[in-house]
Amino acid sequence: LQDLLPDRAYSPASIGKAIYRQTGITPPSGKFDVPAELQGIFMQAYYGGRAECHIRKAKVPVMRLDFLSQYPSANALLRNWEILTAARLSFPEVTDQVRTLLEGVTLTKCFNPAIWLDFKFFALVQPDDDIFPVRAPFDPRDREHLNIANSRLTSEQPIWFSGPDVVASVIRTGKGPKVLKAIRVVPHGKQRGMKRIVLRGAIR
């Protein structure tokens, strides 16, 4: 990467940002006109960097698993590159389509990469013993600090969740949540001014 000095590569994120700069991709905040209401929806549905431990301080049988490249895999399956490189975005309401999707979704179907394109939505859900990521003070001795966990959730207040989290709840509970409204993120066209680069001198 031409403009990234080794002593400035603090993490993989530094490399990713340098790639964006060299390809000429304009950051989403600089090219998409997204209303503040939608920004709030997207942030309410964001639960990044969570890790979980459901059984603590007890000896139990374990199996070591290697979840290789989870974030790149999810981004590729959702084809988020099309959003990053789009000229513009639209956010149509797709409530009926999402309800129909959730009625038929299964774990087996999720192994078909094509179905992941249908997961690119945000849904306003009325949780009723569903399993969703929850940000809350789980330690009864510390009510100030919030943590994130996938927990059974019932709420009188509707909450926005991302499509993959809604699908995961269906798979884990065997029932679809009550979806009050759903919107989809649809990319249109390609941003002008992007450039091709060569990764590690080999991959265009």
Side-chain angles (χ1 to χ4, degrees):
L1 297 174
Q2 298 171 354
D3 68 344
L4 180 64
L5 297 174
D7 63 331
R8 297 293 181 180
Y10 302 117
S11 72
S14 300
I15 298 174
K17 291 176 182 177
I19 290 173
Y20 283 154
R21 287 194 302 271
Q22 291 187 22
T23 53
I25 295 175
T26 304
S29 60
K31 65 178 175 177
F32 299 138
D33 183 18
V34 181
E37 180 183 354
L38 289 179
Q39 295 275 16
I41 288 171
F42 303 151
M43 287 308 299
Q44 185 178 50
Y46 175 69
Y47 296 89
R50 66 178 185 254
E52 299 176 38
C53 177
H54 289 264
I55 301 175
R56 299 181 62 208
K57 301 181 179 180
K59 292 183 178 181
V60 296
V62 299
M63 178 181 292
R64 185 171 299 194
L65 300 174
D66 178 17
F67 291 94
L68 183 64
S69 300
Q70 291 182 72
Y71 289 165
S73 296
N75 275 286
L77 288 166
L78 291 168
R79 285 166 56 172
N80 287 335
W81 181 253
E82 295 178 359
I83 292 177
L84 284 173
T85 58
R88 64 182 182 87
L89 302 176
S90 64
F91 308 95
E93 182 175 339
V94 289
T95 306
D96 291 338
Q97 296 94 312
V98 166
R99 288 172 178 163
T100 301
L101 169 70
L102 297 178
E103 288 174 0
V105 74
T106 64
L107 177 61
T108 300
K109 288 183 178 179
C110 290
F111 283 95
N112 176 7
I115 197 175
W116 280 68
L117 292 179
D118 294 330
F119 299 167
K120 204 180 300 187
F121 66 86
F122 293 85
L124 181 62
V125 174
Q126 183 82 59
D128 181 15
D129 197 32
D130 301 295
I131 298 179
F132 283 117
V134 180
R135 187 179 285 107
F138 290 95
D139 187 346
R141 299 164 298 179
D142 182 1
R143 308 305 294 178
E144 294 184 10
H145 295 91
L146 305 182
N147 286 304
I148 300 172
N150 268 326
S151 303
R152 289 197 172 270
L153 176 64
T154 298
S155 172
E156 296 180 359
Q157 179 71 33
I159 304 171
W160 285 94
F161 292 101
S162 67
D165 280 329
V166 178
V167 170
S169 177
V170 175
I171 292 172
R172 298 175 75 181
T173 65
K175 70 181 184 73
K178 183 178 180 181
V179 175
L180 305 180
K181 183 178 180 180
I183 58 174
R184 192 176 297 285
V185 182
V186 180
H188 299 277
K190 286 294 179 185
Q191 175 202 311
R192 294 183 177 180
M194 292 188 294
K195 308 169 188 175
R196 291 185 181 273
I197 64 171
V198 179
L199 296 177
R200 304 184 68 180
I203 303 172
R204 180 174 290 274

